[in-house]
Amino acid sequence: MANYYGSNPYGEPSGTPYGTPPPVDPLSQPLRGASIGTAYVRFWKKYAVFSGRASRSEFWWVYLVNAIISAVVNLTNSEALTILGGIYSLATIVPSLALGARRLHDVNRSGWWQLLGIIPIIGWIILIVWWATGPKPEGTRFDV
C-alpha cells in the first residue's frame, strides 16, 4: 500500500512524495547531447567547478565557440577588438581548464592530465584523443 511518500515494491517508504525521484541538480551531471547554446551557458555557470564530469558535446561546442570568437578577433585589424579579445581570453582561462578537467573525469582520468599540454605536439595529441573518447562508467567516481 502506497502512502504519501510512495513506496517501493517491498512496501518501504521511498522518502519522496508519490514515489517520484528526488530532484537532481542538472548542473551536477554531464549533459549528453547538449546544444551549442546550452553548452555555452553551462560553461559560464560552472566557471571554476573542477569536480564532476562534462560530456563530449558540452566540451566540443564550447571549444568551437571559443575558436570562432578567437578567429574573428584575430582577423580584424581593430585595436579595440584586439583588447577585448585579450580580455575574453583571460576570462576564459579558468573555465576552460575546469571544463577540460571535467571532460577528463568523464573518461576516468584525473584533471591533472591537462598538464600534458605543456609537452609540444605529443601532449596535445594525447589530450585531444582523451577528450574525444566516449564516457566510461568508472568516471562516476568523480561525480559530486
Side-chain angles (χ1 to χ4, degrees), residues 8-56:
N8 60 24
Y10 305 105
E12 300 165 347
S14 66
T16 57
Y18 306 109
T20 58
V24 175
D25 177 19
L27 288 178
S28 68
Q29 298 297 314
L31 181 62
R32 311 278 181 221
S35 68
I36 191 167
T38 306
Y40 197 68
V41 167
R42 285 173 63 98
F43 172 70
W44 289 106
K45 282 185 177 180
K46 297 176 87 169
Y47 188 88
V49 178
F50 287 83
S51 61
R53 298 181 295 156
S55 67
R56 281 186 288 191

Side-chain angles (χ1 to χ4, degrees), residues 50 97-105 108-119 123 126-127 130-131 141-142:
F50 287 83
L97 288 172
L99 181 63
R102 290 193 312 268
R103 180 67 203 125
L104 287 173
H105 290 168
N108 198 29
R109 303 255 181 222
S110 169
W112 288 101
W113 280 106
Q114 288 184 97
L115 291 174
L116 282 175
I118 295 171
I119 303 170
I126 293 169
L127 281 174
W130 284 346
W131 285 332
R141 70 186 174 116
F142 294 104

